[in-house]
Every structure is written in C-alpha cells, then in structure tokens.
Amino acid sequence: MKDYRNDNRVVLTLDAGGTNMVFGAMRGGEFITAPITLPSNSSELDLCLQTMVKGFKAIIEAIGCEPDAISFAFPGPADYPHGIIGGYLPNFPSFRDGVALGPFLSRTFGVPVFINNDGDLFGYGEAVGGMLPEINARLEAAGSAKRYRNLIGYTFGTGFGIGVVVNGELNRGDNSCVETFCLPHKDDRNIIVEEGVAVRAVKRVYAEISGDKDHKFEPKDIYDIAEGKIPGNVEAAKEAFRKMGEVAGDAMATAVTLTDGLIVIGGGITAAKKYIMPGLLASLRSKMHTLGGDELNRVQMEVYDLDNEEEFAAFAKGSERKIKIYGSDEEVTYDPQKRIGVCLSKMGASKAISTGAWLFALDRLDAGEDLLYPMKFEPYLKTVIWGGSGIPGFKGIETDQEKIGESWELSGVKGHESIVANGPLAGKNITALIDRYKEQLIGKSNWLKNGNEFPLLIKFIDAEKDLSLQVHPDDELAAVRHNGSKGKSEMWYIIDAKPDAHLLSGLSKKITPEEYEQRVADNTITDVIARHNVKAGDVYNLPAGRIHAICAGTFLAEIQETSDITYRIYDYGRLGLDGKPRELHTELAKDAIDYTVHDDYKTQYKHHMNEECVLVQCEHFTTSLLDLDRPFHKDLSYLDTFLILICTEGSGMVKDNKGNTVPLHRGETMLIPASTQEIRIVPDGKMKLLSSFV
C-alpha cells in the first residue's frame, strides 16, 4: 500500500451526527484547518443538504484551495458505492425515502465523493494507517517472518460496528451490508448481539446485577464505580464490562474464523479494557465439541492479546523451525502455528475513521477506474458562413445561435477542450481528466504517445452551403510547419442528405503541382475533383493529403485526429462573417496534396443488424457502425484504449461492468474510459451508433 504521508492532495471530511455535523480537511494524514461545526438539521432534508454545502464551502474558504475529493462516514442503511442513503435512519429521518447524497455533493463541488459507514472506515484506517502496519513492523523488528494482510475492526459505542479489510481491500459487500450487530446473542439466539455489546448493554447489565433499576449511570460512571472512584456496586460494574466482552468475543469468533486476520477494537468504552478483555479473550479461546465428544477450539487459530508484551513475544515467535527440502541439504523456515491477535486501537476510533476516509479517497483516486464512468460532454457550437439550422433539433437542444455549421462533441483542441456534462466529474475538461487519470482514461499507449491531449476530435457538421475546397497536412508535414502539431486524417459518416446533395473527395484526373496552381488561379480546380452524390449511411475516408469539400445539403459525423490545421484552397470568391475574403493557403496546400488518383473514393462496407460493422480502420482510428434493435454486449477487456459512442439515431442505455447506467440519445457522444471492461447497449426500440477508438 502506498505511503500517503507526503501526499499533497486535500480530502474534505465530515463527522455526520444527528445533532451536529463537524467538517474538516486532511492532507498528509493530518487535519489542516480547524473543524467547523454546524447543526445537522437532520429532520429537514433541504436544510440538511444546505448545511452540508455551507459547511464544505466554509472549509474550502478556510484552506484556500480546491479539494481533490470528499470522503466521510454516514449512517446506513445505504448503497454506499453509489452514495445513496435511505431506509430506517433514526438520526436522519429526512433521508429515509432515499437521497442521492454522493451524486448531489459531486455535482455541487465537482469532485469525487466517497461515503462509507463508520465501522468500514475505522477498519480501513487501522488496516492501512494504524494497527495492521504497526503490528507488521513489530513482527519485523522481532525477527519474525510472519506478516498479516487481513484485519477486522470493531467499534464499541451506541452500536456494535464492524469493518473488514482483506488484503488491503475494504470489503463493502455486494449490498453495502457487511454487518455484525444483527448476529445472534450468545445467551439468547433470538436476540441480536448488539443488545449485549453497546452502551445500553453495560447500563442494563449493571442494573440487573446491582438491583438498581433506576440508575442514571453512563458507562464512564460505571467504570469509575469499578475503579472505586465513585459510590456504587463494584462487582456489578466489573461484571457489566466483562459480560460485554464475553458477548462481543463470541461474535468476533465467528467473524475471525471466516476472515482469518487480526482484530482491532475502538470506541470510548474501550477505556474499560481491563474489565472487557478477560471476557472477550475467554470467548475467543473457548472450546466446543463434536457429537463424538472430541474437543475443538472455538477459533481454530491461537488467539493472542497483542497489548500484552509477553503474549506479543510469543505471538511473534510462533513455532518457527527449519526443515530440509526433500533430497537436498537446503533448509526453509516452517511455522506450523496458526495464530491471530486482538488489541485496542492506538489511534482512537475518531482519528481512525477520519484516517480511513482520507486513505480510502486517495486510494480510489489513484485506482482511477473505480471513479470513471461513461461520460457525455457539453457541445461547442460553431457559427460559420456555410452553417445551417439542423444541429439544435438533431441534438434536442435549444439555442439562439444561428448558422451553426459544427458541433464539437468531444475535443482536446487547446482552447476548446470538451467539458463533462454528466456524473461526479461534471464541469471538468477532458485535458484535466487525462492529466489526473492518464492511462485509466485513454489507455497506456495513447497516454505515452499523446500525453494529456485527447487524440480524436468528434464533430457533427451541417452544411447549408458548400464548404471551401481544402486539404490537411499529414503528421510529418504538420510537425515541421506547425511546431510539432499533428496532421489531420478524418472520415465522414453521412447522417442525412438532401436529394441533390453531394461532396467532393479526391482527384478525378492526374494533375501536377504546377497545374494545380494554374487551376486555382483560373478558378477551374473543382473541374478535376471527384464529385460524389451522397445519401444517409455513406462513408468516406479522407487520409491526410486528400483534397475535399463538404457541399450543401449534407449532414454528417466527422471523426478526425486532434488537429485544427486546414489549408483552404478555393472558396468560391465569397466573403467571411467579417465581410472580408477568407484567407487561402494555395502555396501551403501544394506540398500537402496527395496527387494520387483512385478509382473509387467511397468506403464500402457490409451492413448487418446487431453486429459491429467496421467502416474505417487506419493507424489513426478504427470506426464501426452499430445498428441495433436488441441489446448489444461489447467486451473491452482486450483494448488498451477508450471507446467513443456517437448516437446518430434513436436512444437507449449504456451499462458498464462497474454498475453505471447512462442514457444516450440521438445527437449525443459518449466516452467510455479505457478502464472499462465491458459495456451493454440497450436500445429503446431501435438505435444507431458509431463507435471509434485509437
């Protein structure tokens, strides 16, 4: 596990109580500003959520920087992985019908939000930054080869909480329902164990043994009675804590048998450890029998009290001995003793929970793939002289903008980086996300080659008038002429076309660079460019160097390298939006043009329903067509790259292997992160998409 003590990232925390909420911020494992306490207002949902926003904003103002994440414990029941709180919550009654707390805070603050229960975060804090590494360090110092990877954390308080960490991973379960409170009580299997392991249990048992049914003592008072500091029944006080330990130990015996790891206990009541531990250890070390009369240990491992120095020494020593490898004189160390240990938290429950929240957030930020999901983006609408009016209706958006010729759906072009529109990362731009998540977002090879620049530019283009005749340089020429920039290879998929619509692509006859210059000068260059009548579904691949023009009446999707370098060759003598002739790049284009003549410039493909039909496969991208009327599954585990989905007809849902479900409708573009292992596309009736990756 990574050492985060020198990590400069900031995580906001929250201690969510039914009366008060305490807000904080951690960096490097320590709080970096004074906590801010506000009333919870837990009975009124609107006011409660406003209080959370107010508290976190106050912390952000106090620390003077934006946080990297928010992470905290909140009472369940809950769907913790998705940040949804709901069910029977005595301290937060306004949350009972279900509140998407995590998504709400993510949208408000633009950072990932992680919510767990306090038992989970206590166990995680102790496993990663507390008891577990401490015990392993002590074992190493003692010369023992034994190391532990599993930990069960228990909290004693108003309830009986648990957190289970196996091999460094918090076990959150499939239903956010890893619990211990509801196990049966050892003395009455019809009663939950929490009735014997909680504040109320200590008070009740003291009352039963002492006969003082009306006492007002809290556990602290009962402990002081046991210590002889205040008047009361000393034996009843001691027995109340011993009994609590006995009942807790029985529940722990079940859990540790299934988990096989160390046990750490936290909570204010553990101040009475001298009275709790004897009963607890007695249960863990108790016996049971078979029907044949054989006696077995309740826990199959030897159980040590790790707070006892003599027991720790025996725990570290174990039963190590040397044995020879059969047939040789070489020896190996063999320790046949199976053993676990139990101790009290040195950090304290509150600090362990905060540390767990901080560590959990950083671990998940570094894991990246757990946070990434299918993302949609805000379109960048571009007004041009040849633009039409079809893009807003096609996308289902409203705008006063006119002559919209292009909608940049997904762009890493500097100055026009796309902004995420959905989910916890809404408001972040694609370049910042690549900088944070690197290969987990775009794939290792893409990141090593392109750095933080997204390698493709996705557009919808609506041509009400003819576009200029143009060409794009290849990567080599662009790098020389434009400070290392990429060239532009692209492809077109025709979404819609008027009956007389056409486009220009490629040379129709062989010409020389000199003839090219002459034809541009005398306005006859279009006479040697191949003209193609187009209809919906047509595909044209345009490698860098191929002269081309989109013409009036054509609506298409364009997939291209991330480059905005265009050499305009011929523009029909028209004026730009500023009333001046647009600049031509005749000389630059001359060396960029591929003068090869081809028999056919249209890309041919075979169409099949509910199958992936490859349209274009080149070094810069692979694009396929999906025409669906039933669910479609795609395995992405073999791809070290992202996947783009461009919806051109219909609508549906995209589901990934992480449990995310995101709607996608006509005119929307979606980015599937490289960390995604598989997706399932479920159309609403019929749905047509383009998929593309590098």
Side-chain angles (χ1 to χ4, degrees), residues 82-93:
H82 295 100
I84 300 172
I85 312 298
Y88 178 66
L89 293 113
N91 291 333
F92 285 86

Side-chain angles (χ1 to χ4, degrees), residues 302-332:
E302 292 291 325
V303 180
Y304 289 87
D305 180 356
L306 302 183
D307 289 327
N308 181 299
E309 289 299 324
E310 290 184 4
E311 289 202 29
F312 183 85
F315 170 77
K317 183 178 180 181
S319 300
E320 284 189 7
R321 58 187 173 90
K322 298 289 186 180
I323 61 171
K324 286 185 177 181
I325 299 175
Y326 180 78
S328 76
D329 292 329
E330 185 179 349
E331 293 184 329
V332 294

Side-chain angles (χ1 to χ4, degrees), residues 266-287:
I269 296 180
T270 59
K273 62 183 179 181
K274 63 192 290 187
Y275 303 116
I276 294 173
M277 290 304 290
L280 189 147
L281 289 168
S283 285
L284 287 169
R285 294 166 175 167
S286 63
K287 304 293 183 179

Side-chain angles (χ1 to χ4, degrees), residues 338-405:
K338 297 177 176 63
R339 57 196 187 274
I340 60 161
V342 57
C343 69
L344 301 185
S345 172
K346 306 297 189 298
M347 301 174 73
S350 180
K351 179 64 182 296
I353 291 169
S354 297
T355 300
W358 167 70
L359 288 167
F360 187 87
L362 295 186
D363 191 45
R364 288 302 173 271
L365 288 176
D366 286 346
E369 62 265 21
D370 288 340
L371 306 179
L372 297 174
Y373 54 90
M375 286 175 273
K376 299 188 289 189
F377 297 84
E378 301 288 349
Y380 166 57
L381 305 178
K382 195 171 181 180
T383 295
V384 288
I385 59 172
W386 46 263
S389 58
I391 285 178
F394 176 74
K395 291 182 61 62
I397 59 176
E398 294 184 3
T399 178
D400 294 330
Q401 195 171 335
E402 298 180 348
K403 291 186 175 296
I404 300 171

Side-chain angles (χ1 to χ4, degrees), residues 540-556:
Y540 289 84
N541 185 30
L542 297 114
R546 183 165 295 175
I547 196 167
H548 60 271
I550 301 171
C551 298
T554 307
F555 192 106
L556 58 83

Side-chain angles (χ1 to χ4, degrees), residues 368-375 425 433 437 440-441 656 658 660 673-676:
E369 62 265 21
D370 288 340
L371 306 179
L372 297 174
Y373 54 90
M375 286 175 273
L425 297 174
L433 291 180
Y437 298 113
Q440 290 159 346
L441 180 57
D656 68 11
K658 306 171 194 175
N660 298 299
S675 61
T676 304

Side-chain angles (χ1 to χ4, degrees), residues 441-455:
L441 180 57
I442 63 172
K444 186 174 182 179
S445 60
N446 281 324
W447 185 68
L448 291 175
K449 180 180 179 181
N450 303 295
N452 292 340
E453 182 180 75
F454 191 73

